[in-house]
Amino acid sequence: MTVSDPIVESVITTLSRSVREIRQGLIGRRGSANAENPSGETQMEADIWADDLLADRLSSIDGISQYASEERDTVLDCGGDTSTGDGYAVAVDPLDGSSNLKSNNAMGTIVGIYDAPLPARGDELVAAAYVLYGPITTMVLATDETVLEYELTGGERRLVRRDVTLPEDPVVYGFGGRVPDWTDEFRSYARAIEQEYKLRYGGAMIGDINQVLTYGGVFGYPGLVSRPEGKLRLQFEGNPIGYIVERAGGRSSNGHQSLLTVDPNADDIHERTPVFVGNDALIDRLEAELADTRM
Ligand SMILES: O=P(O)(O)OC[C@H]1O[C@](O)(COP(=O)(O)O)[C@@H](O)[C@@H]1O
Ligand SMILES: [Mg+2]
Ligand SMILES: [Mg+2]
């Protein structure tokens, strides 16, 4: 099944065709690159390699005017002018959860396609997708029309689920950050959720989000006492995941409002944000618990 927007279709086709190579290329690149990304995190060899590969391929697509990623300081200009509506901007987390390379656990790739120059609000997304490198490789793609799940084999994508929707009865939860570093308000929310649902936390957001989309529930990486802005990045992680979960009938939040309505810091493409996504009722409860912490 192809997407009606030809630029989005080109990005998704290019991503699908690159995934086998990325997966194969992880072998031999599990070590640290002895370098830091702009967020100050140690980069793995595979982070840099996957970023170069995706930058090269996505930036050469007709209609893509900007490429940005977690692994590079600045936005890459690819021709065209996003501000005049001439082309889309792609924001990429080339490998999500790359610290899982060491222990050989799940990882992902995230792509947000914005109809605005970066950094942009999440409601400027026209599509977002993630690839999950699990026992099999799958991709979830959200557009304004629907959410689709594909299996990726041999460079091709095979539709396995149409109109992906969060199940109504939530089952799982997963929260990041060390418990002593949680705020009192978030801890109180987490304690209640723990009594009701099953813990699923794998150290790669994409793996955990895919569980939420499959079983229903809530994923969160909260603001911490030591780092109120949290860990995840708005442009590369929060917005695309918020868009996918909202399109699938759930909600996203930074603790107080939908991630898609947050005005980005124009000077910081790597801005971090608390991220919460999941079933409506669970995000409502979270926002009620955090209401008094609004700045
Ligand atoms: O190790 P922690 O603190 O649990 O953090 C895990 C979180 O950080 C991330 O790995 C951040 O993403 P990157 O690996 O792309 O930097 C998320 O995928 C995951 O949810
Ligand atoms: Mg990530
Ligand atoms: Mg990453």
Side-chain angles (χ1 to χ4, degrees), residues 108-172:
T109 293
I110 310 171
V111 176
I113 308 173
Y114 295 85
D115 187 10
L118 297 171
R121 273 169 61 118
D123 51 18
E124 299 281 7
L125 283 161
V126 292
Y130 67 75
V131 174
L132 171 60
Y133 306 96
I136 51 176
T137 312
T138 54
M139 177 169 68
V140 171
L141 164 66
T143 63
D144 282 345
E145 291 149 33
T146 184
V147 183
L148 304 164
E149 183 182 16
Y150 298 92
E151 286 175 355
L152 302 179
T153 45
E156 298 308 318
R157 62 187 213 259
R158 191 169 70 87
L159 187 65
V160 289
R161 237 179 356 144
R162 264 175 215 278
D163 300 326
V164 176
T165 311
L166 253 77
E168 273 177 31
D169 291 328
V171 176
V172 299

Side-chain angles (χ1 to χ4, degrees), residues 37 41 47 70-71 93-99 110 175-178 201-206 208 219 221 227 231-233 237:
N37 71 13
E41 293 159 351
D47 284 319
E70 233 177 59
E71 307 302 342
D93 180 354
L95 288 179
D96 174 64
S98 54
S99 62
I110 310 171
F175 301 137
R178 291 173 55 243
Y201 189 77
M205 178 177 68
I206 289 308
D208 299 328
F219 168 84
Y221 205 110
R227 192 157 66 181
K231 176 176 187 188
L232 301 173
R233 282 131 296 218
E237 294 165 314

Side-chain angles (χ1 to χ4, degrees), residues 275-289:
V275 168
F276 304 96
V277 289
N279 288 73
D280 280 27
L282 300 185
I283 302 296
D284 285 349
R285 278 168 67 180
L286 170 91
E287 289 186 345
E289 198 73 56

Side-chain angles (χ1 to χ4, degrees), residues 184-200:
D184 291 344
E185 293 79 6
F186 181 71
R187 188 176 302 116
S188 143
Y189 171 74
R191 289 293 170 250
I193 295 293
E194 282 165 8
Q195 302 304 314
E196 298 168 51
Y197 306 106
K198 277 200 284 195
L199 172 63
R200 286 289 185 271

